[in-house]
Amino acid sequence: MTSPTDVRKPLRVVAWSTGTVGRHAIAGIDAHPDLELVGVWVSNPDKAGKDAGQLAELGRDLGVAATTDRDALLALAPDAIVHTAMADDRVFECIEDLFGFIEAGVNVVSSGPVLLQWPEKILPDDMLERLASAGARTGASLHVNGIDPGFANDVLPLSLTSLSQRIDEVRVQELADYSTYYQPVVMREIFGFGKPLEERPMLWEPGILTMAWGSVVRQLAAGLGITLDEPLTEEVDRRPADRDIETVSVDIAEGTMAAVRFQVIGKVDGVPRVVLEHCTRTSPEQAPEWPKPTKGDGCYRIVVTGEPMMDLEFSHHGEHGDHNVSGMIVTAQRLVNAVPAVVAARGGLVTALDLPLVTGRGLVSS
């Protein structure tokens, strides 16, 4: 294993997709002094041949043309792939892609599938062994992260607990209005916004929340050195719209699903110790009794109950004010800025607990 400062610079990077997160990843790679964009993958043939700068809406060309040719990009022998392709509706196909990159000897940072953030007790042993064996053979590493699952509920809460004398419960929350979140498939097909409440998208079937966000709860437990009861507990409260609502992703008719609060709860001897909670609205006034941000339309909040009692709220917004746009940016940048550390890490799966401190080194405006 080498340190990030020992790795050849600039690191040659391929951006894998140009969607709502991917276009920000391209901008981030271009801005990073230790990275060089050498390739871009797209799923849409209409984007093939277009310059990365155009696809990222940078207002200038970067001299790198997008392609649908996977093998041509791997033939470039890049140091890393920044993978932000949609994974929520093609989990196992995406896992196959990521494992294939590691088997080809290319390091990967990815925004999904989120279960790979901490896949123990989710993926079968033979899949975990395949990844470990590939990493040991090629030296390539895989790191799945972002903002949630990711920084807001791994590094940030665990750092906060370093101030604790006694911990009774760690609760990590996302409290957000999704009306400006542009992900039609996620919003309608996965969450079920705009659908009758009697319909049950797969996300609300038993065990699926644990597959998606159980990695958060189990990684926090590992960081705290506790063993959780299994299975984890899931709680869901879905609410209908009291009026017609328009969002950028889906129109929500009165009476159809418009808000949801869910929790994935890790208990020790029946007592909740680690809790992941989301309160997702499509209009700010919905469910006023649920937790809300103290400012703006979205935040991440960490509540550590014990001695002392601690409450930390992390909010963000883009230069033009929207928290869902900046959510895409922070997701992309957590991956982009982690590339040097992931390239330097041991082969195989690398979690947030394995990495050194990742910062915005080199990004201070001149």
Side-chain angles (χ1 to χ4, degrees), residues 136-261:
R137 177 174 56 83
T138 67
S141 307
L142 169 63
H143 179 60
V144 176
N145 212 255
I147 191 65
D148 179 0
F151 175 79
N153 44 43
D154 54 36
V155 173
L156 193 58
L158 287 173
S159 296
L160 188 62
T161 63
S162 71
L163 307 177
S164 295
Q165 186 180 86
R166 187 191 76 248
I167 299 171
D168 297 331
E169 181 188 277
V170 176
R171 179 176 294 264
V172 291
Q173 301 172 315
E174 181 190 84
L175 314 174
D177 173 6
Y178 272 29
S179 62
T180 60
Y181 177 53
Y182 184 71
Q183 283 285 9
V185 172
V186 172
M187 290 287 283
R188 184 164 180 84
E189 304 305 324
I190 295 178
F191 275 80
F193 289 117
K195 291 192 173 187
L197 284 175
E198 56 267 25
E199 287 194 29
R200 289 181 62 88
M202 183 176 290
L203 186 59
W204 313 124
E205 293 299 327
I208 301 301
L209 282 175
T210 294
M211 181 179 292
W213 280 277
S215 60
V216 169
V217 174
R218 292 191 177 109
Q219 182 168 229
L220 286 173
L224 296 171
I226 59 176
T227 301
L228 300 175
D229 303 341
E230 293 288 348
L232 305 180
T233 301
E234 302 174 353
E235 295 183 1
V236 180
D237 181 5
R238 297 187 295 152
R239 300 288 180 88
D242 61 3
R243 59 180 175 84
D244 291 349
I245 299 170
E246 292 184 5
T247 78
V248 298
S249 291
V250 61
D251 291 336
I252 300 171
E254 180 179 351
T256 63
M257 182 181 150
V260 63
R261 180 184 187 182

Side-chain angles (χ1 to χ4, degrees), residues 18-29:
T18 60
T20 53
V21 177
R23 65 187 187 90
H24 295 298
I26 290 171
I29 294 166

Side-chain angles (χ1 to χ4, degrees), residues 223-304:
L224 296 171
I226 59 176
T227 301
L228 300 175
D229 303 341
E230 293 288 348
L232 305 180
T233 301
E234 302 174 353
E235 295 183 1
V236 180
D237 181 5
R238 297 187 295 152
R239 300 288 180 88
D242 61 3
R243 59 180 175 84
D244 291 349
I245 299 170
E246 292 184 5
T247 78
V248 298
S249 291
V250 61
D251 291 336
I252 300 171
E254 180 179 351
T256 63
M257 182 181 150
V260 63
R261 180 184 187 182
F262 66 82
Q263 300 180 78
V264 180
I265 304 168
K267 300 178 180 179
V268 178
D269 297 330
V271 178
R273 295 301 187 192
V274 180
V275 181
L276 176 285
E277 177 181 7
H278 276 214
C279 295
T280 306
R281 299 172 169 90
T282 53
S283 185
E285 77 280 358
Q286 294 166 343
E289 71 277 17
W290 292 353
K292 299 184 71 172
T294 57
K295 65 177 183 179
D297 295 323
C299 78
Y300 296 95
R301 181 177 295 150
I302 301 159
V303 181
V304 180

Side-chain angles (χ1 to χ4, degrees), residues 61-85:
D61 286 351
L62 299 182
V64 178
T67 180
T68 58
D69 191 336
R70 174 186 185 275
D71 293 338
L73 291 172
L74 291 181
L76 295 173
D79 295 294
I81 290 171
V82 177
H83 179 275
T84 58

Side-chain angles (χ1 to χ4, degrees), residues 294-318:
T294 57
K295 65 177 183 179
D297 295 323
C299 78
Y300 296 95
R301 181 177 295 150
I302 301 159
V303 181
V304 180
T305 305
E307 184 62 48
M309 309 288 283
M310 292 183 285
D311 187 324
L312 176 66
E313 186 164 313
F314 162 47
S315 60
H316 54 76
H317 60 80

